[in-house]
Amino acid sequence: MTRPSFDAQREQLQRGHFIRVVNYHSTPRGARAELASELAGFARDYAPVTLDDLDRLFETGTWHKDKPGVIPVFYEGYRNSVTVAAPLCDELGLTGWFPIATSFVDCDPEHQEAFARAHWISLVEEDTKGGRIAMNWDEVAEISKRHVVFPHTAHHEGFDGVFSDADLEREVVESKRQLEAVTGQEAPAFVWLHGSSYGQSPRHDQVVRDAGYRYQFANTMIHRIN
């Protein structure tokens, strides 16, 4: 797509032709009412964004809906993303985007709290009351039917902690293969821990490109990379 001028970007923003990305992590049942109210406000003021919608925006350079878009992003792969966040999105007609740390889902429930604490996955009190903290693979497959599921590395890693070829294969490539095998569909996007931008490391960028991702989510933008 041709890079728009600043004036064109300003005009698009003034016309509401933009996408707002809102990030969430654990969404405990105890805070369900608060989350429901917030998501309801987004559903009222914004349009849902499917993968096809995002592709169309990058292909044409123009947002095609009457309202600006919103992407609620629910990180890590918490079980409450399935029991709380996804059902609320379903009720409100929103498309949720779920970046999954695949090794968190793979982890034995008995060890998930320890895994989370060792891998920068924040826990609230409700998460530690016993039982499974992460969603399971059946739940990943189920939410992928209505929402967008993609890798957040395997072990919740930042690019600055992934050095060897084996590490890159595991965190970037194998996590994609695993999600695609479970869901039966493309994992179109990737995101590092800390939301690091595309363009900070040519080596890491190359692995992301070669893996076949179309998008990289970052703290300040969504990068179209393929």
Side-chain angles (χ1 to χ4, degrees):
M1 141 181 156
T2 303
R3 185 181 300 276
S5 68
F6 177 77
D7 286 343
Q9 291 182 7
R10 181 172 58 187
E11 180 183 353
Q12 293 283 355
L13 288 171
Q14 289 173 338
R15 295 170 61 188
H17 292 182
F18 62 88
I19 291 176
R20 179 176 182 179
V21 179
V22 185
N23 294 336
Y24 297 94
H25 296 274
S26 184
T27 55
R29 188 166 298 279
R32 184 185 187 280
E34 181 180 356
L35 179 63
S37 177
E38 187 163 295
L39 291 177
F42 291 140
R44 180 192 65 232
D45 297 333
Y46 296 85
V49 180
T50 66
L51 178 58
D52 287 343
D53 292 330
L54 189 63
D55 285 340
R56 181 170 173 177
L57 172 63
F58 276 91
E59 288 163 4
T60 67
T62 300
W63 181 241
H64 61 285
K65 296 188 177 183
D66 293 336
K67 296 179 181 179
V70 65
I71 297 180
V73 183
F74 303 94
Y75 277 90
E76 273 83 85
Y78 294 95
R79 184 182 186 182
N80 56 38
S81 289
V82 170
T83 60
V84 177
L88 284 173
C89 288
D90 291 335
E91 291 173 18
L92 295 164
L94 293 171
T95 299
W97 291 59
F98 294 84
I100 307 292
T102 54
S103 290
F104 185 33
V105 176
D106 257 344
C107 185
D108 188 309
E110 182 180 351
H111 305 299
Q112 284 176 357
E113 181 176 349
F115 181 96
R117 296 192 186 282
H119 292 89
W120 298 88
I121 296 176
S122 299
L123 302 176
V124 299
E125 184 178 359
E126 187 179 300
D127 293 323
T128 64
K129 293 296 186 180
R132 182 160 49 89
I133 300 173
M135 60 179 77
N136 61 35
W137 287 114
D138 287 341
E139 291 166 338
V140 172
E142 182 60 31
I143 63 170
S144 75
K145 297 175 183 177
R146 303 178 303 281
H147 304 285
V148 184
V149 174
F150 57 101
H152 188 21
T153 75
H155 290 82
H156 203 227
E157 293 282 357
F159 84 95
D160 53 351
V162 177
F163 303 110
S164 71
D165 290 345
D167 289 344
L168 284 162
E169 176 75 14
R170 182 188 63 246
E171 299 300 327
V172 180
V173 181
E174 184 55 37
S175 59
K176 186 176 193 289
R177 291 184 187 138
Q178 191 170 19
L179 275 180
E180 290 177 340
V182 168
T183 65
Q185 54 188 292
E186 175 194 16
F190 180 78
V191 57
W192 292 106
L193 173 64
H194 307 312
S196 301
S197 298
Y198 187 80
Q200 296 194 57
S201 165
R203 182 183 180 214
H204 291 78
D205 293 346
Q206 186 66 52
V207 174
V208 171
R209 282 198 306 273
D210 289 347
Y213 293 106
R214 295 210 300 282
Y215 299 102
Q216 182 168 319
F217 276 60
N219 284 335
T220 57
M221 68 184 72
I222 301 171
H223 302 263
R224 178 67 186 250
I225 55 178
N226 268 332

